[in-house]
PDB file of all heavy atoms in Angstrom:
ATOM      1  N   LYS A   2      77.869 136.040  35.410  1.00 97.00           N
ATOM      2  CA  LYS A   2      77.291 135.866  36.754  1.00 97.00           C
ATOM      3  C   LYS A   2      77.484 134.435  37.255  1.00 97.00           C
ATOM      4  O   LYS A   2      77.688 134.180  38.429  1.00 97.00           O
ATOM      5  CB  LYS A   2      75.778 136.195  36.728  1.00 97.00           C
ATOM      6  CG  LYS A   2      75.484 137.642  36.402  1.00 97.00           C
ATOM      7  CD  LYS A   2      75.983 138.562  37.496  1.00 97.00           C
ATOM      8  CE  LYS A   2      75.816 140.021  37.094  1.00 97.00           C
ATOM      9  NZ  LYS A   2      76.682 140.920  37.840  1.00 97.00           N
ATOM     10  N   TYR A   3      77.313 133.470  36.322  1.00 98.00           N
ATOM     11  CA  TYR A   3      77.526 132.049  36.649  1.00 98.00           C
ATOM     12  C   TYR A   3      78.438 131.454  35.585  1.00 98.00           C
ATOM     13  O   TYR A   3      78.330 131.815  34.404  1.00 98.00           O
ATOM     14  CB  TYR A   3      76.197 131.270  36.590  1.00 98.00           C
ATOM     15  CG  TYR A   3      75.174 131.688  37.603  1.00 98.00           C
ATOM     16  CD1 TYR A   3      74.237 132.672  37.295  1.00 98.00           C
ATOM     17  CD2 TYR A   3      75.138 131.097  38.867  1.00 98.00           C
ATOM     18  CE1 TYR A   3      73.286 133.057  38.217  1.00 98.00           C
ATOM     19  CE2 TYR A   3      74.188 131.483  39.797  1.00 98.00           C
ATOM     20  CZ  TYR A   3      73.264 132.459  39.470  1.00 98.00           C
ATOM     21  OH  TYR A   3      72.331 132.842  40.391  1.00 98.00           O
ATOM     22  N   MET A  32      90.748 132.382  31.981  1.00 98.00           N
ATOM     23  CA  MET A  32      91.454 133.509  32.610  1.00 98.00           C
ATOM     24  C   MET A  32      92.872 133.102  32.982  1.00 98.00           C
ATOM     25  O   MET A  32      93.134 131.928  33.245  1.00 98.00           O
ATOM     26  CB  MET A  32      90.758 133.905  33.924  1.00 98.00           C
ATOM     27  CG  MET A  32      89.426 134.572  33.769  1.00 98.00           C
ATOM     28  SD  MET A  32      88.857 135.146  35.399  1.00 98.00           S
ATOM     29  CE  MET A  32      87.120 135.394  35.021  1.00 98.00           C
ATOM     30  N   SER A  68      83.857 122.798  55.251  1.00 94.00           N
ATOM     31  CA  SER A  68      84.829 121.929  55.914  1.00 94.00           C
ATOM     32  C   SER A  68      85.593 121.050  54.927  1.00 94.00           C
ATOM     33  O   SER A  68      86.808 120.874  55.064  1.00 94.00           O
ATOM     34  CB  SER A  68      84.139 121.094  56.986  1.00 94.00           C
ATOM     35  OG  SER A  68      83.164 120.307  56.362  1.00 94.00           O
ATOM     36  N   SER A  69      84.914 120.514  53.887  1.00 92.00           N
ATOM     37  CA  SER A  69      85.672 119.596  53.034  1.00 92.00           C
ATOM     38  C   SER A  69      86.675 120.363  52.165  1.00 92.00           C
ATOM     39  O   SER A  69      87.782 119.885  51.937  1.00 92.00           O
ATOM     40  CB  SER A  69      84.763 118.650  52.247  1.00 92.00           C
ATOM     41  OG  SER A  69      84.340 119.214  51.060  1.00 92.00           O
ATOM     42  N   ILE A  79      82.672 128.468  44.056  1.00 98.00           N
ATOM     43  CA  ILE A  79      82.691 129.672  44.901  1.00 98.00           C
ATOM     44  C   ILE A  79      81.319 130.331  44.814  1.00 98.00           C
ATOM     45  O   ILE A  79      80.811 130.591  43.722  1.00 98.00           O
ATOM     46  CB  ILE A  79      83.771 130.678  44.435  1.00 98.00           C
ATOM     47  CG1 ILE A  79      85.166 130.015  44.451  1.00 98.00           C
ATOM     48  CG2 ILE A  79      83.757 131.928  45.308  1.00 98.00           C
ATOM     49  CD1 ILE A  79      86.263 130.886  43.846  1.00 98.00           C
ATOM     50  N   LYS A 122      94.195 115.312  45.845  1.00 94.00           N
ATOM     51  CA  LYS A 122      93.943 115.555  47.278  1.00 94.00           C
ATOM     52  C   LYS A 122      92.485 115.248  47.614  1.00 94.00           C
ATOM     53  O   LYS A 122      92.174 114.720  48.684  1.00 94.00           O
ATOM     54  CB  LYS A 122      94.273 117.005  47.639  1.00 94.00           C
ATOM     55  CG  LYS A 122      95.769 117.282  47.539  1.00 94.00           C
ATOM     56  CD  LYS A 122      96.082 118.726  47.875  1.00 94.00           C
ATOM     57  CE  LYS A 122      97.577 118.970  47.695  1.00 94.00           C
ATOM     58  NZ  LYS A 122      97.896 120.385  47.582  1.00 94.00           N
ATOM     59  N   ALA A 124      90.608 113.063  46.051  1.00 97.00           N
ATOM     60  CA  ALA A 124      90.464 111.606  46.042  1.00 97.00           C
ATOM     61  C   ALA A 124      91.012 111.010  47.347  1.00 97.00           C
ATOM     62  O   ALA A 124      90.426 110.072  47.910  1.00 97.00           O
ATOM     63  CB  ALA A 124      91.206 111.021  44.838  1.00 97.00           C
ATOM     64  N   ALA A 142     107.433 113.373  40.513  1.00 94.00           N
ATOM     65  CA  ALA A 142     108.480 113.967  41.343  1.00 94.00           C
ATOM     66  C   ALA A 142     108.522 113.350  42.739  1.00 94.00           C
ATOM     67  O   ALA A 142     109.550 113.414  43.422  1.00 94.00           O
ATOM     68  CB  ALA A 142     108.262 115.465  41.442  1.00 94.00           C
ATOM     69  N   GLN A 151     108.100 104.772  40.504  1.00 97.00           N
ATOM     70  CA  GLN A 151     109.089 103.723  40.765  1.00 97.00           C
ATOM     71  C   GLN A 151     108.788 103.019  42.092  1.00 97.00           C
ATOM     72  O   GLN A 151     108.753 101.786  42.169  1.00 97.00           O
ATOM     73  CB  GLN A 151     110.478 104.401  40.817  1.00 97.00           C
ATOM     74  CG  GLN A 151     111.635 103.481  41.061  1.00 97.00           C
ATOM     75  CD  GLN A 151     112.019 102.740  39.783  1.00 97.00           C
ATOM     76  OE1 GLN A 151     111.676 103.188  38.688  1.00 97.00           O
ATOM     77  NE2 GLN A 151     112.677 101.600  39.927  1.00 97.00           N
ATOM     78  N   SER A 156     107.116  98.683  45.568  1.00 97.00           N
ATOM     79  CA  SER A 156     106.622  98.286  46.891  1.00 97.00           C
ATOM     80  C   SER A 156     105.108  98.177  47.026  1.00 97.00           C
ATOM     81  O   SER A 156     104.623  97.832  48.104  1.00 97.00           O
ATOM     82  CB  SER A 156     107.109  99.293  47.939  1.00 97.00           C
ATOM     83  OG  SER A 156     108.458  99.545  47.785  1.00 97.00           O
ATOM     84  N   THR A 167      95.551 112.277  36.970  1.00 96.00           N
ATOM     85  CA  THR A 167      96.446 113.033  36.077  1.00 96.00           C
ATOM     86  C   THR A 167      95.738 113.256  34.732  1.00 96.00           C
ATOM     87  O   THR A 167      94.773 112.558  34.422  1.00 96.00           O
ATOM     88  CB  THR A 167      97.759 112.269  35.785  1.00 96.00           C
ATOM     89  OG1 THR A 167      97.481 111.228  34.835  1.00 96.00           O
ATOM     90  CG2 THR A 167      98.358 111.660  37.037  1.00 96.00           C
ATOM     91  N   MET A 220      81.226 111.384  37.551  1.00 98.00           N
ATOM     92  CA  MET A 220      81.785 112.321  38.548  1.00 98.00           C
ATOM     93  C   MET A 220      81.558 113.761  38.103  1.00 98.00           C
ATOM     94  O   MET A 220      81.201 114.630  38.902  1.00 98.00           O
ATOM     95  CB  MET A 220      83.283 112.056  38.721  1.00 98.00           C
ATOM     96  CG  MET A 220      83.960 113.060  39.615  1.00 98.00           C
ATOM     97  SD  MET A 220      85.699 112.660  39.879  1.00 98.00           S
ATOM     98  CE  MET A 220      86.255 114.133  40.707  1.00 98.00           C
ATOM     99  N   GLN A 224      79.443 116.307  40.409  1.00 98.00           N
ATOM    100  CA  GLN A 224      80.003 117.536  41.012  1.00 98.00           C
ATOM    101  C   GLN A 224      79.217 118.758  40.542  1.00 98.00           C
ATOM    102  O   GLN A 224      79.011 119.698  41.290  1.00 98.00           O
ATOM    103  CB  GLN A 224      81.515 117.675  40.784  1.00 98.00           C
ATOM    104  CG  GLN A 224      82.003 117.872  39.344  1.00 98.00           C
ATOM    105  CD  GLN A 224      81.744 119.263  38.778  1.00 98.00           C
ATOM    106  OE1 GLN A 224      81.779 120.242  39.511  1.00 98.00           O
ATOM    107  NE2 GLN A 224      81.468 119.338  37.491  1.00 98.00           N
ATOM    108  N   SER A 264      76.418  93.452   5.280  1.00 94.00           N
ATOM    109  CA  SER A 264      75.454  93.134   6.349  1.00 94.00           C
ATOM    110  C   SER A 264      74.535  94.320   6.633  1.00 94.00           C
ATOM    111  O   SER A 264      73.684  94.244   7.518  1.00 94.00           O
ATOM    112  CB  SER A 264      76.193  92.721   7.622  1.00 94.00           C
ATOM    113  OG  SER A 264      77.037  93.760   8.071  1.00 94.00           O
ATOM    114  N   LYS A 266      75.572  97.701   7.219  1.00 97.00           N
ATOM    115  CA  LYS A 266      76.110  98.737   8.120  1.00 97.00           C
ATOM    116  C   LYS A 266      75.886 100.148   7.560  1.00 97.00           C
ATOM    117  O   LYS A 266      75.460 101.043   8.289  1.00 97.00           O
ATOM    118  CB  LYS A 266      77.617  98.512   8.365  1.00 97.00           C
ATOM    119  CG  LYS A 266      77.936  97.161   8.989  1.00 97.00           C
ATOM    120  CD  LYS A 266      79.424  96.960   9.186  1.00 97.00           C
ATOM    121  CE  LYS A 266      80.245  96.952   7.915  1.00 97.00           C
ATOM    122  NZ  LYS A 266      80.229  95.770   7.081  1.00 97.00           N
ATOM    123  N   VAL A 269      71.932 100.914   7.311  1.00 98.00           N
ATOM    124  CA  VAL A 269      71.372 101.075   8.660  1.00 98.00           C
ATOM    125  C   VAL A 269      71.946 102.358   9.277  1.00 98.00           C
ATOM    126  O   VAL A 269      71.214 103.170   9.851  1.00 98.00           O
ATOM    127  CB  VAL A 269      71.715  99.845   9.544  1.00 98.00           C
ATOM    128  CG1 VAL A 269      71.408 100.120  11.004  1.00 98.00           C
ATOM    129  CG2 VAL A 269      70.962  98.609   9.065  1.00 98.00           C
ATOM    130  N   SER A 271      73.137 105.129   7.897  1.00 98.00           N
ATOM    131  CA  SER A 271      72.676 106.430   7.393  1.00 98.00           C
ATOM    132  C   SER A 271      71.225 106.687   7.813  1.00 98.00           C
ATOM    133  O   SER A 271      70.866 107.800   8.169  1.00 98.00           O
ATOM    134  CB  SER A 271      72.892 106.564   5.887  1.00 98.00           C
ATOM    135  OG  SER A 271      71.881 105.935   5.194  1.00 98.00           O
ATOM    136  N   ILE A 299      91.502 100.067  -4.940  1.00 97.00           N
ATOM    137  CA  ILE A 299      92.602 100.149  -3.959  1.00 97.00           C
ATOM    138  C   ILE A 299      93.184  98.746  -3.728  1.00 97.00           C
ATOM    139  O   ILE A 299      94.400  98.551  -3.726  1.00 97.00           O
ATOM    140  CB  ILE A 299      92.125 100.752  -2.609  1.00 97.00           C
ATOM    141  CG1 ILE A 299      91.571 102.164  -2.805  1.00 97.00           C
ATOM    142  CG2 ILE A 299      93.266 100.780  -1.593  1.00 97.00           C
ATOM    143  CD1 ILE A 299      90.911 102.766  -1.574  1.00 97.00           C
ATOM    144  N   ALA A 317      91.589 106.121  13.478  1.00 95.00           N
ATOM    145  CA  ALA A 317      92.232 106.891  14.559  1.00 95.00           C
ATOM    146  C   ALA A 317      91.745 108.345  14.530  1.00 95.00           C
ATOM    147  O   ALA A 317      91.550 108.967  15.569  1.00 95.00           O
ATOM    148  CB  ALA A 317      93.745 106.838  14.417  1.00 95.00           C
ATOM    149  N   GLN A 323      82.568 112.873  18.655  1.00 96.00           N
ATOM    150  CA  GLN A 323      81.524 112.413  19.581  1.00 96.00           C
ATOM    151  C   GLN A 323      80.160 112.657  18.967  1.00 96.00           C
ATOM    152  O   GLN A 323      79.973 113.562  18.162  1.00 96.00           O
ATOM    153  CB  GLN A 323      81.648 113.155  20.908  1.00 96.00           C
ATOM    154  CG  GLN A 323      82.968 112.818  21.605  1.00 96.00           C
ATOM    155  CD  GLN A 323      83.093 113.394  22.989  1.00 96.00           C
ATOM    156  OE1 GLN A 323      82.656 114.501  23.232  1.00 96.00           O
ATOM    157  NE2 GLN A 323      83.691 112.647  23.887  1.00 96.00           N
ATOM    158  N   ARG A 337      93.069  95.067  16.479  1.00 94.00           N
ATOM    159  CA  ARG A 337      92.559  95.333  17.838  1.00 94.00           C
ATOM    160  C   ARG A 337      92.647  96.824  18.183  1.00 94.00           C
ATOM    161  O   ARG A 337      91.841  97.356  18.921  1.00 94.00           O
ATOM    162  CB  ARG A 337      93.376  94.573  18.898  1.00 94.00           C
ATOM    163  CG  ARG A 337      93.149  93.098  18.980  1.00 94.00           C
ATOM    164  CD  ARG A 337      91.738  92.707  19.301  1.00 94.00           C
ATOM    165  NE  ARG A 337      91.185  93.311  20.514  1.00 94.00           N
ATOM    166  CZ  ARG A 337      89.909  93.210  20.879  1.00 94.00           C
ATOM    167  NH1 ARG A 337      89.047  92.554  20.131  1.00 94.00           N
ATOM    168  NH2 ARG A 337      89.469  93.776  21.974  1.00 94.00           N
ATOM    169  N   TYR A 358      71.890  85.294   4.154  1.00 89.00           N
ATOM    170  CA  TYR A 358      71.268  86.585   3.825  1.00 89.00           C
ATOM    171  C   TYR A 358      72.270  87.577   3.218  1.00 89.00           C
ATOM    172  O   TYR A 358      71.917  88.705   2.900  1.00 89.00           O
ATOM    173  CB  TYR A 358      70.667  87.225   5.076  1.00 89.00           C
ATOM    174  CG  TYR A 358      69.452  86.497   5.613  1.00 89.00           C
ATOM    175  CD1 TYR A 358      69.587  85.499   6.571  1.00 89.00           C
ATOM    176  CD2 TYR A 358      68.164  86.811   5.155  1.00 89.00           C
ATOM    177  CE1 TYR A 358      68.488  84.823   7.064  1.00 89.00           C
ATOM    178  CE2 TYR A 358      67.066  86.147   5.639  1.00 89.00           C
ATOM    179  CZ  TYR A 358      67.234  85.144   6.598  1.00 89.00           C
ATOM    180  OH  TYR A 358      66.133  84.481   7.072  1.00 89.00           O
ATOM    181  N   ASN A 396      69.119  89.972  10.244  1.00 95.00           N
ATOM    182  CA  ASN A 396      68.611  89.293   9.043  1.00 95.00           C
ATOM    183  C   ASN A 396      67.403  90.027   8.450  1.00 95.00           C
ATOM    184  O   ASN A 396      67.022  89.782   7.311  1.00 95.00           O
ATOM    185  CB  ASN A 396      68.203  87.852   9.371  1.00 95.00           C
ATOM    186  CG  ASN A 396      69.422  87.009   9.728  1.00 95.00           C
ATOM    187  OD1 ASN A 396      70.531  87.327   9.297  1.00 95.00           O
ATOM    188  ND2 ASN A 396      69.221  85.971  10.517  1.00 95.00           N
ATOM    189  N   THR A 404      65.332 100.044  14.204  1.00 97.00           N
ATOM    190  CA  THR A 404      64.454 100.030  15.388  1.00 97.00           C
ATOM    191  C   THR A 404      65.101  99.248  16.533  1.00 97.00           C
ATOM    192  O   THR A 404      65.031  99.671  17.693  1.00 97.00           O
ATOM    193  CB  THR A 404      63.077  99.404  15.030  1.00 97.00           C
ATOM    194  OG1 THR A 404      62.584 100.092  13.908  1.00 97.00           O
ATOM    195  CG2 THR A 404      62.101  99.498  16.174  1.00 97.00           C
TER     196      THR A 404
END
Side-chain angles (χ1 to χ4, degrees):
K2 295 294 174 201
Y3 296 91
M32 289 187 197
S68 61
S69 86
I79 302 173
K122 292 179 183 162
Q151 181 78 20
S156 313
T167 76
M220 174 176 171
Q224 66 74 33
S264 60
K266 301 179 297 283
V269 168
S271 81
I299 300 172
Q323 295 186 322
R337 286 300 306 172
Y358 291 91
N396 293 335
T404 307

